[in-house]
Amino acid sequence: QLCTVTIFLTGFVWAWVIANVVNVVSNLDAFTVYFHKLNDDLNVLMESRGISRALQTRARKHLHEAIKVHQQRHQRDTIQALSAGLQGEIALQSGAAEVCNCVWYLRDVDPDVLVELVNYFLPYLYSPD
């Protein structure tokens, strides 16, 4: 009888350990969890509103094609925790400098001004109709 109770308790402890390991692994990438929830929310929204299959497909396609934009928006909270100077430097090294070089009046701007300026850049994606 003691053996049965021990096996039973060991099973509960093992299930608890496995559940915690799965929880840790599933939350390693916060953006992936957020993106899956965004997909689920979109599916529920479209289903509850009776959206046509063609529009559902287009909406899902847009969401998946804009994944980098969503990821950058999600990362803005982390970047906001840094100083303005570090935020600007990260933005410049992340590609904002190339964007600024495409705009003629930003090409010869002082680097300190450019660092301040890129803090106001926001990622957007516009899809065709």
Side-chain angles (χ1 to χ4, degrees):
Q1 196 174 39
L2 179 64
C3 184
T4 305
V5 171
T6 304
I7 291 173
F8 189 70
L9 289 176
T10 304
F12 272 119
V13 170
W14 184 245
W16 178 78
V17 167
I18 295 296
N20 282 315
V21 168
V22 168
N23 186 33
V24 167
V25 169
S26 68
N27 289 319
L28 283 177
D29 184 8
F31 175 72
T32 301
V33 172
Y34 164 79
F35 191 71
H36 285 293
K37 183 180 180 328
L38 191 63
N39 275 305
D40 292 341
D41 291 345
L42 179 65
N43 288 334
V44 168
L45 176 141
M46 292 187 299
E47 190 66 32
S48 69
R49 295 186 182 189
I51 306 296
S52 69
R53 290 286 178 206
L55 183 54
Q56 286 184 22
T57 302
R58 287 179 38 221
R60 287 188 195 104
K61 181 179 177 184
H62 173 80
L63 199 61
H64 284 277
E65 288 177 352
I67 190 167
K68 289 294 183 191
V69 173
H70 291 287
Q71 188 174 32
Q72 288 176 356
R73 286 183 190 164
H74 186 75
Q75 292 169 347
R76 282 203 60 80
D77 291 336
T78 304
I79 292 173
Q80 293 295 327
L82 302 173
S83 69
L86 285 172
Q87 291 176 26
E89 289 182 48
I90 288 173
L92 286 174
Q93 289 193 15
S94 297
E98 288 81 20
V99 171
C100 291
N101 284 333
C102 294
V103 180
W104 66 269
Y105 54 86
L106 294 178
R107 286 187 187 138
D108 296 322
V109 172
D110 184 66
D112 293 333
V113 174
L114 205 54
V115 165
E116 289 294 323
L117 181 65
V118 297
N119 284 330
Y120 296 99
F121 288 4
L122 296 174
Y124 285 102
L125 177 77
Y126 297 98
S127 61
D129 291 334

